[in-house]
Structure formats: structure tokens, C-alpha cells
């Protein structure tokens, strides 16, 4: 139990000779360094708060304003409206000083001492400065409410309207220079609340291709009854919530969709991300792990110091950065009825899992450890030949299972002693690292290798990822990497942003020497990794083994297919004058219709981060226009010109729906919030029950690519990412994630449950491939027939 002794800074004993005190200087030094680091962070956070509070101005402008006002005042000129003179009577000691000077017949300008004149001038300058700042910020917020630019054509040959050009210029002038990560948060507008009538109209239009005439008429009646009935009362409450909350959706979405869900996180909720597939900077897992860990820690520091560049559209329109705060030092704590997200302001260690054993690895000793120092630590873990303790190897299976069960086990078996200490170390870690004993392989000649790569990251063995952590960094024994991320704290776009920065480091910086080790030498002796200790009895071990067996059943029931479409990509799609995302969504509609013989409710995630604390909204790609095009593709009597016309109409409609969702005009989040209020008020709505019980049999999402200027595929072609994926949402449905990785490359991640006789991810992948091929041939045929471009 040497590790337990290392946790105690000093010990004492009382003997007949007096007090006997023993100090552990190393531990006391660590405590001292931790305290210094904590105070540095507090000072930095305080300075950032001031910076963000006055942005887009800077503090130097305050001192400049004060200097100018004082100079004007003492030069004998009046500050506008003679504000200094008007404020002087309210300052302490004014009357006595004033009377003294009046007795001596001094001029009014010298009625007070120089000190009080300077103070008065400074106060006036401060008030003027704040007035200008908050006027600018409020004006910027009003400008950011304008979303007309979203609906204008973009790309080569497209022209922005004069109105949007003037708007963009105004935003650029008012948004300041060099913003910090959270500088523009206060200028972001709130998510607008749609009217019930508009949402009803959008919903009925989206439901039309999914219902026959009889059922559609029933739905129209239910919607009319709801709109003229309890929806009026529900909307009033929602209006109040929109007034008093930063975002009327996000807190309820996090609480009821994620934290109150009792389903397992593994497969059902967590998502994964894959390494840059062409990148193989080293084959040494310890070196690649060290480099990646170091990059993550550097970006943690950038987030903490708010030095990470916020994402700006058109280089001036900000996206909300609220989710970044919880990327690191965060875990999801299980509860009986509802989980909670626990975030710690700091953590100086990570936890590494290897061959069934958990190690605490210190990553900060006066500074962030260098990559070579971290490599030494990781190699020590890899070289450790000790065996797992009783129940330790499969312990994380508890985080993979049903949430209430995990909460009960956590309260009863991990609430005291070494179990609680070790569990706290895992949960308070910056993140968890898993050193797998299998390779992660991308082999174009053997596609199944990439499928296996994705499965390893999605679920592993069911007990070798800590699914509660914000993310688990996964390292293959061949030096390839990936991650598994928990979903409640944030969305995939945020994790993809950090991952993009981590991956580009490998290509843009010299990280390894000729031997495959990280560059540099150890400047200090890095702290030795410490085994976590566990006291797991027979009963607890049985519970853990049962959880592992249940996790294995979930794993055996899910299948994953990752395939690369490299016959053409967004370059050709743009030549066809359609949005690449809309083009791919239409291909998915055609593929699903051919696979299932019917249309299905389809989910596509879009972001609402143009608004404060925005997360996601649903786009419904299965529309009247898309279904008409799909039927035309299956109708042999339909001409190619008509098919292209219908495809353009479907793509344009989809793009408009996507833009509506981004601008706060979606359907599903509004209906979701109305439903939550109805439950609070104990009011039943057949319409809401019907809508929210509809399964999303086709759940899709596009992984963003190239969020930062560093992702330059022309300069660094090896940085092409394969994206990531997730499990199916419905038992008889597909989970489809795709990433447009380059001009001529698209990766698709398709998952389904083997227990469903209606779905097969491998079959569906072939349907998608065929649909994409048919769509290209369609355009080529029309071009050949009409002689057009």
C-alpha cells in the first residue's frame, strides 16, 4: 500500500518522548505547486473575465479615455455636457472644500482640490467608456440577429447582396480584433422561439411523405386541436422561459434527453472519432500516446486561458463556445433517476488503462510534462508486468451498462475506502487513456480492417473505456489513435475541433525522431505512474462480471460498416449546382427506399451555435420533394431531365430546411420543449405523444471537417480524417455518419443492430454506393443529351 502513504503529506505520533512528526517533502512540494497553479488559474480567469466583460474594447482604451478627459478638463475646456462639474457635488468632502475656496474668492474651476478633480474626471471617463462599450455590444447583438446572409448563395460565382455586405462590414467593424474563446459570448443573440402555427405548418409538411391520405388527415386534425387548444397555454410558459433563460432549449435537452436517460452510454449515446487514416508518424504506441496526450494538454491550457481561437464564420460571425469548458476534467456521474455532469476546474493527472490495470499518471510538475517525459511514463506502464487486482480488469463495464444500476453499485460499493479514492482519481482525471493491445488498421484492399477499427473505438471490449468520462483517448499498439466521447457535455463538432488540432500537430510539427521516439530529452525525472488500488469483494466482482456479460451482449448485437467513396466527391457535386450535404442526404433517401421499400422519418443534426448556448436542431431530410425525386428515380418512364429537375428542387428545399434549423426555425426542439411543459403541467396531448413517439429509423450526421485554418489538405494531404460514428438510434434503424474528407473522398460510418431482420449495414452501404453512382450517371446523361455543363 505504498501508494496510500504517498497521498499523506505528513504523519505524527505521540510517544513518551513527545511529538514525532514526519514530513513528506515531495508531497508537500506537490501541494505547494498545486496551490500556486490554482492561484495562477484564478488570476488568469479573473483577467479573462475583465477582458470578456469589456470586449470588443480593451483595458488600454479605458486608460486612454481617462487621460484624454483629464487633459481636457485641466486645459480649461468643458467635457461634453460639463459632466465633471455635474458629478463633483456627489464626491466626498466637496462642500467643505468648496466653501474654503469660495471664501478665498477662487474661480469655480478650482472649487475642489486637484485630487478630486482627477477622480471626478476618471469617473466621467469610465462612465463614457462603459456607455460606448455596451452600446457597441448591444448593437453587435442586434446585428447578429440578422440571418439573411445564411439564405444567400455561396461559393464561386455567387454574389452577396448589398444589404448583407453592409451588414458584414458592420459586424466586422464592431466585433473587434483577436477575440478570446469566450469574448463574443455576451454579444450572441438568444435562440428565437418560433410561433406554434409556424411549427405546425412545418411539421405537417415534413410528415406528408410518411403518411397515407387517411392518416395524414388524422394528423392534420390532431395538429389543429393542439394548436387551438393546450398549445396556447404551453407556448405562454415557453415564452416566459425564453425571456429568462440563456437558451430555452439547451438545459432541458441536456437534462431530459441525456442525463435522465437510463439507457447504456456505450453504443446508444457515446460516439467515436478516427485518426487521420493516411497518417503514420510512428509505430511506437508510447511515443504516439505521449505526443497526442501532450497535444491534448496544450489545448486544455488554450481553453483554460481562453487563447483558443473561436470559430468565426466569414472571419467575424462567432459560433457559441460554451461547450468547450467541459471538454477536459469532466465526467458524468450516474444517478438513480438522473445523472449529473461534474466538471473540475483543474486536474494535474490522467488515468491510463492497460491490460486490466489502472494507473494514475501525473502530467504536471511545475509545467506540463514534455512529450519525451510523458513517453517515459507511458513506456513504464507498458513494461509493467503486474496482474490486475480482483475485479479491476472489467470494472469499467459498470459505466457501459444501465445507468440506475451503475448508480446503485457506485453508492454501495464505491462510497468509501480505497475504492472511493481510486474512483475519484478516475473521475477527476483530465481524461482517460486506454492502451489497447491490438492494432488500428486502415487497409484500402481489406475494408473490414477499417470496420474493426471503428468497432474498437465505438465499444472496445465493453470494459476497457471509461464511458462516463468526457472522452477516452485510445491508442493502438501500432501507433494509431482514436477517441470515444461521452455525449451529454457537448456535441461532436466541438470534440472534432479539438481532434482536428491534435491531428494536424502530427503533420505540421516535428514530433518524432528517426527512431520513432518523441523529439527532445527528459529535462526532469517524470513522476512514476502509480497503480490505483481496489478492494473488490466477491459480491462486487460478480456484479462487475454480470455487467461485462451484458456489455458483451450489446456489442454482439451491433455491427458497423465504414466505407470510403472515392469515385467522386464534393467537387463534382458543386459542379451540379447543389449543396454537397443535400446531395448526400438525397443519396441516403434513395438508398433507404431501395433497402426498406418505404420512406422513413429521417434525422439529420444541424447546429444552432449561432445563438448563445446553442447545441443542435433536427433537419428532416425526408420531404415531399425528396420523396418525389426518389419515386422518379424508380420510375423507368420518367425522363432524366425531369429527374434532375426534381433532384434540384429536393436539394434546394433541404438546404433551406437546414438553414432554417440553424436560424432557430426548426421543428423538433420547439415541440420537445412544449412536451416538457405539458408534463410539468400534467396535461396530455395526443398530438405531442404521437409526434415524439415516432422512431428515427434513419439517424444521420455530418462530421465537420476543416473547422480551422490549420487543416490545409493541399499542404498536408495526410491529414485527411475518416471522421467518426455512433450506434443506431432505433432498434430497427441505421446510424449513419459521414465526412466529406476532400474534393473526391467521402467516408460513411453505418451501424445497425443484428437483432433486427430489417437492417444490414453492409447491404445498406452497397445501396448508398449504388445511389451515388446512379446520381452521377444521371447528371452525366443529362449533360451528354443537352450538351451543357
Amino acid at each position: 500500500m505504498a501508494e496510500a502513504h504517498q497521498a499523506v503529506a505528513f504523519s505524527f505520533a505521540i510517544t513518551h518522548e513527545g511529538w514525532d512528526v514526519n514530513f513528506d517533502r515531495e508531497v508537500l512540494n506537490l501541494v505547494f505547486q498545486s496551490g500556486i497553479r490554482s492561484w495562477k488559474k484564478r488570476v488568469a480567469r479573473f483577467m479573462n473575465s475583465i477582458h470578456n466583460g469589456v470586449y470588443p474594447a480593451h483595458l488600454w482604451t479605458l486608460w486612454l479615455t481617462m487621460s484624454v478627459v483629464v487633459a481636457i478638463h485641466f486645459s480649461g475646456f468643458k467635457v461634453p455636457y460639463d459632466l465633471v462639474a455635474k458629478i463633483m457635488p456627489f464626491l466626498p468632502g466637496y462642500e467643505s472644500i468648496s466653501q474654503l475656496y469660495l471664501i478665498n474668492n477662487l474661480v469655480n474651476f478650482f472649487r475642489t482640490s486637484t485630487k478630486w478633480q482627477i477622480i471626478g474626471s476618471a469617473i466621467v471617463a469610465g462612465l463614457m467608456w462603459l456607455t460606448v462599450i455596451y452600446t457597441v455590444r448591444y448593437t453587435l447583438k442586434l446585428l447578429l440577429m440578422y440571418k439573411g446572409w445564411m439564405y444567400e448563395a455561396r461559393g464561386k460565382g455567387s454574389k452577396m447582396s448589398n444589404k448583407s455586405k453592409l451588414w458584414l462590414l458592420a459586424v466586422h467593424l464592431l466585433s473587434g480584433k483577436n477575440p478570446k474563446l469566450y469574448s463574443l459570448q455576451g454579444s450572441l443573440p438568444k435562440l428565437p422561439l418560433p410561433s406554434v402555427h409556424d411549427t405546425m405548418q412545418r411539421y405537417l409538411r415534413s410528415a406528408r411523405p410518411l403518411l397515407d391520405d387517411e392518416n395524414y388527415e388524422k394528423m392534420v386534425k390532431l395538429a389543429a386541436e393542439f394548436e387551438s387548444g393546450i398549445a396556447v397555454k404551453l407556448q405562454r410558459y415557453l415564452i416566459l422561459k425564453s425571456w429568462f433563460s440563456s437558451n430555452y432549449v439547451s438545459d432541458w435537452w441536456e437534462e431530459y434527453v441525456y442525463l435522465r436517460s437510463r439507457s447504456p452510454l456505450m453504443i446508444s449515446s457515446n460516439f467515436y472519432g478516427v485518426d487521420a487514416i493516411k497518417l503514420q508518424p510512428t509505430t511506437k504506441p508510447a511515443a504516439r500516446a505521449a505526443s497526442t496526450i501532450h497535444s491534448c494538454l496544450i489545448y486544455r491550457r488554450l481553453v483554460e486561458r481562453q487563447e483558443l481561437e473561436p470559430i468565426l464564420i466569414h472571419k467575424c460571425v462567432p459560433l457559441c463556445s460554451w461547450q468547450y469548458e467541459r471538454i477536459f476534467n469532466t465526467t458524468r456521474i450516474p444517478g438513480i433517476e438522473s445523472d449529473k455532469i461534474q466538471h473540475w476546474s483543474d486536474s494535474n493527472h490522467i488515468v491510463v488503462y492497460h491490460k486490466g490495470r489502472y494507473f494514475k499518471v501525473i502530467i504536471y510538475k511545475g509545467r506540463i510534462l514534455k512529450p519525451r517525459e510523458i513517453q517515459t511514463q507511458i513506456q513504464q506502464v507498458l513494461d509493467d508486468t503486474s496482474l490486475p487486482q480482483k475485479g479491476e480488469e472489467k470494472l469499467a463495464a459498470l459505466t457501459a451498462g444501465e445507468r440506475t444500476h451503475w448508480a446503485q453499485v457506485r453508492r454501495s460499493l464505491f462510497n468509501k475506502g480505497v475504492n472511493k479514492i481510486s474512483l475519484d482519481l478516475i473521475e477527476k482525471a483530465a481524461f482517460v487513456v486506454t492502451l489497447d493491445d491490438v492494432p488500428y488498421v486502415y487497409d484500402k484492399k481489406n475494408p473490414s480492417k477499417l470496420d474493426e477499427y471503428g468497432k474498437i473505438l465505438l465499444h472496445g471490449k465493453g470494459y476497457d473505456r471509461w464511458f462516463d468520462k468526457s472522452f477516452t483517448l485510445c491508442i493502438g499498439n501500432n501507433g494509431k489513435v482514436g477517441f470515444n466521447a461521452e455525449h451529454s457535455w457537448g456535441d461532436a463538432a466541438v470534440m472534432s475541433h479539438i481532434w482536428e488540432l491534435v491531428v494536424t500537430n502530427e503533420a505540421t510539427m516535428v514530433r518524432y525522431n528517426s527512431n520513432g521516439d518523441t523529439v527532445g530529452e527528459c529535462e526532469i525525472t517524470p513522476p512514476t505512474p502509480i497503480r490505483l488500488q481496489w478492494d473488490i469483494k466477491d459480491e462486487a466482482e460478480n456484479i462487475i462480471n454480470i455487467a461485462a456479460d451484458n456489455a458483451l451482449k450489446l456489442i454482439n448485437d451491433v455491427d458497423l460498416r465504414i466505407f470510403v467513396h472515392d469515385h467522386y466527391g464534393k467537387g463534382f457535386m458543386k459542379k451540379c449546382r447543389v449543396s454537397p450535404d443535400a446531395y448526400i442526404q438525397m443519396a441516403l433517401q434513395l438508398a433507404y427506399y431501395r433497402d426498406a421499400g418505404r420512406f422513413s422519418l429521417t434525422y439529420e443534426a444541424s447546429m444552432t451555435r449561432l445563438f448563445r448556448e446553442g447545441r443542435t436542431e433536427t433537419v428532416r431530410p425526408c420531404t415531399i420533394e425528396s420523396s418525389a425525386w426518389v419515386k422518379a428515380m424508380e420510375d423507368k418512364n420518367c425522363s432524366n431531365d425531369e429527374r434532375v429537375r426534381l433532384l434540384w428542387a429536393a436539394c434546394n428545399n433541404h438546404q433551406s430546411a437546414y438553414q432554417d434549423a440553424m436560424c432557430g426555425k426548426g421543428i423538433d426542439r420547439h415541440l420537445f420543449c412544449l412536451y416538457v411543459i405539458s408534463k410539468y403541467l400534467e396535461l396530455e396531448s395526443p398530438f405531442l405523444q404521437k409526434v415524439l413517439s415516432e422512431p428515427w429509423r434513419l439517424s444521420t450526421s455530418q462530421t465537420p471537417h476543416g473547422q480551422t485554418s490549420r487543416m490545409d489538405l493541399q499542404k498536408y494531404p495526410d491529414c485527411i480524417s475518416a471522421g467518426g460514428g455512433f450506434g443506431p438510434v432505433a432498434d430497427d434503424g441505421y446510424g449513419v455518419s459521414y465526412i466529406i474528407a476532400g474534393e473526391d473522398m467521402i467516408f460513411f460510418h453505418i451501424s445497425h443492430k443484428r437483432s433486427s431482420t430489417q437492417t444490414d449495414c453492409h447491404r445498406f452501404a452497397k445501396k448508398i454506393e449504388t445511389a451515388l453512382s446512379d446520381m452521377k450517371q444521371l447528371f452525366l446523361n443529362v449533360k451528354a443529351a443537352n450538351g451543357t455543363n
Side-chain angles (χ1 to χ4, degrees), residues 324-425:
Y324 285 79
E325 182 182 4
R326 301 190 292 187
I327 296 175
F328 301 97
N329 321 333
T330 301
T331 196
R332 176 169 169 170
I333 305 294
I336 302 300
E337 295 182 356
S338 177
D339 296 353
K340 68 176 181 179
I341 299 173
Q342 183 69 55
H343 172 74
W344 288 269
S345 60
D346 192 19
S347 177
N348 71 342
H349 74 277
I350 59 174
V351 167
V352 177
Y353 177 90
H354 176 57
K355 289 188 175 180
R357 301 143 323 149
Y358 289 90
F359 296 82
K360 174 186 176 182
V361 178
I362 302 293
I363 40 80
Y364 189 92
K365 195 172 183 180
R367 58 166 173 75
I368 296 174
L369 296 186
K370 303 288 185 183
R372 192 55 180 270
E373 295 161 354
I374 298 175
Q375 181 180 344
T376 299
Q377 295 174 307
I378 299 300
Q379 193 61 53
Q380 288 173 339
V381 172
L382 290 171
D383 293 340
D384 190 302
T385 58
S386 61
L387 297 176
Q389 299 166 68
K390 184 177 182 180
E392 181 181 17
E393 181 180 13
K394 300 182 179 180
L395 179 63
L398 293 169
T399 69
E402 199 270 340
R403 301 304 293 171
T404 299
H405 176 260
W406 169 214
Q408 292 169 341
V409 173
R410 187 177 184 276
R411 288 184 181 184
S412 60
L413 301 178
F414 296 88
N415 63 342
K416 60 183 178 181
V418 294
N419 288 345
K420 186 178 188 306
I421 293 172
S422 295
L423 181 61
D424 283 347
L425 288 172

Side-chain angles (χ1 to χ4, degrees), residues 6 28 37 43 116 171 240 282 393 406 454 500 554 565 591 642 653 660 740:
Q6 292 182 20
L28 286 177
R37 184 169 179 232
V43 172
W116 289 109
V171 171
L240 285 175
T282 180
E393 181 180 13
W406 169 214
E500 189 172 294
L554 293 175
H565 175 79
E642 178 64 9
N653 180 72
D660 282 345
I740 303 172

Side-chain angles (χ1 to χ4, degrees), residues 156-206:
K156 292 182 180 179
S158 304
K159 289 186 178 180
M160 184 177 281
S161 67
N162 290 331
K163 178 180 179 182
S164 293
K165 286 180 181 178
L166 289 173
W167 166 83
L168 195 62
L169 177 62
V171 171
H172 183 74
L173 292 174
L174 296 179
S175 58
K177 293 182 179 180
N178 303 319
K180 289 182 177 290
L181 184 60
Y182 305 125
S183 293
L184 292 164
Q185 288 292 99
S187 298
L188 289 172
K190 289 185 177 182
L191 182 69
L193 176 63
S195 69
V196 173
H197 178 73
D198 288 347
T199 298
M200 290 298 99
Q201 294 304 307
R202 292 191 186 99
Y203 170 75
L204 290 174
R205 198 172 193 284
S206 72

Side-chain angles (χ1 to χ4, degrees), residues 95-113:
E95 292 184 1
S96 58
I97 296 174
S98 176
Q99 291 170 3
L100 176 64
Y101 285 135
L102 287 174
I103 291 172
N104 292 299
N105 296 318
L106 295 175
V107 293
N108 289 338
F109 181 72
F110 293 104
R111 287 187 301 175
T112 63
S113 67

Side-chain angles (χ1 to χ4, degrees), residues 417-436:
V418 294
N419 288 345
K420 186 178 188 306
I421 293 172
S422 295
L423 181 61
D424 283 347
L425 288 172
I426 294 175
E427 293 179 339
K428 293 179 180 179
F431 49 90
V432 171
V433 178
T434 294
L435 303 174
D436 280 329

Side-chain angles (χ1 to χ4, degrees), residues 87-136:
I87 203 173
M88 293 303 295
F90 299 98
L91 297 178
Y94 169 80
E95 292 184 1
S96 58
I97 296 174
S98 176
Q99 291 170 3
L100 176 64
Y101 285 135
L102 287 174
I103 291 172
N104 292 299
N105 296 318
L106 295 175
V107 293
N108 289 338
F109 181 72
F110 293 104
R111 287 187 301 175
T112 63
S113 67
T114 302
K115 179 183 72 173
W116 289 109
Q117 291 184 63
I118 293 174
I119 292 174
S121 299
I123 292 174
V124 169
L127 291 174
M128 293 171 61
W129 184 71
L130 288 173
T131 300
V132 172
I133 286 172
Y134 282 98
T135 300
V136 170

Side-chain angles (χ1 to χ4, degrees), residues 470-706:
S470 54
F471 71 95
T472 298
L473 184 62
C474 306
I475 315 294
N477 65 6
N478 61 342
K480 298 289 283 184
V481 299
F483 69 83
N484 180 287
E486 202 275 316
H487 210 331
S488 63
W489 65 266
D491 299 311
V494 176
M495 192 67 207
S496 297
H497 183 189
I498 297 295
W499 193 242
E500 189 172 294
L501 294 172
V502 169
V503 168
T504 52
N505 274 356
E506 301 292 312
T508 60
M509 298 180 182
V510 179
R511 309 285 287 188
Y512 309 94
N513 59 28
S514 58
N515 295 323
D517 295 309
T518 51
V519 295
E521 299 295 334
C522 292
E523 298 176 4
I524 61 174
T525 301
T528 302
I530 302 170
R531 280 287 303 274
L532 300 190
Q533 299 300 306
W534 306 96
D535 182 19
I536 297 175
K537 309 297 183 185
D538 291 341
E539 178 188 359
E541 186 179 23
N542 290 334
I543 292 173
I544 292 169
N545 289 334
I546 291 172
D549 291 340
N550 291 334
L552 185 59
K553 291 177 183 177
L554 293 175
I555 291 171
N556 290 336
D557 190 35
V558 72
D559 200 3
L560 179 69
R561 175 75 176 96
I562 304 176
F563 79 93
V564 188
H565 175 79
D566 55 3
H567 301 301
Y568 68 95
K570 66 179 180 180
F572 176 81
M573 297 171 189
K574 288 178 179 179
K575 288 181 180 178
C576 297
R577 295 176 303 185
V578 296
S579 156
D581 179 72
Y583 188 103
I584 294 171
Q585 284 292 335
M586 294 308 106
L588 292 175
Q589 289 299 309
L590 179 58
Y592 187 85
Y593 186 81
R594 289 172 172 175
D595 182 72
R598 67 178 188 277
F599 296 109
S600 177
L601 186 62
T602 307
Y603 179 105
E604 182 188 6
S606 75
M607 63 93 174
T608 55
R609 289 170 57 203
L610 288 168
F611 303 96
R612 191 165 188 175
E613 295 184 14
R615 289 197 63 164
T616 60
E617 177 58 275
T618 304
V619 183
R620 295 179 169 224
C622 184
T623 61
I624 296 171
E625 290 79 7
S626 68
S627 59
W629 171 72
V630 169
K631 289 177 181 177
M633 290 294 290
E634 298 300 279
D635 183 0
K636 296 180 180 179
N637 297 321
C638 187
S639 68
N640 286 333
D641 285 338
E642 178 64 9
R643 288 169 176 170
V644 169
R645 185 189 69 79
L646 291 173
L647 178 56
W648 275 336
C651 288
N652 290 335
N653 180 72
H654 177 82
Q655 188 171 10
S656 295
Y658 199 99
Q659 292 162 339
D660 282 345
M662 290 182 65
C663 294
K665 301 176 185 177
I667 300 168
D668 293 275
R669 299 301 181 268
H670 186 199
L671 293 179
F672 163 75
C673 289
L674 292 173
Y675 178 75
V676 172
I677 293 177
S678 73
K679 287 301 180 183
Y680 274 121
L681 299 178
E682 297 182 348
L683 296 174
E684 293 297 326
S685 168
F687 172 76
L688 290 177
Q689 291 282 1
K690 177 72 173 174
V691 171
L692 295 175
S693 64
E694 295 171 344
W696 300 97
R697 290 192 175 90
L698 184 55
S699 182
T700 72
S701 179
Q702 179 183 175
T703 303
H705 195 257

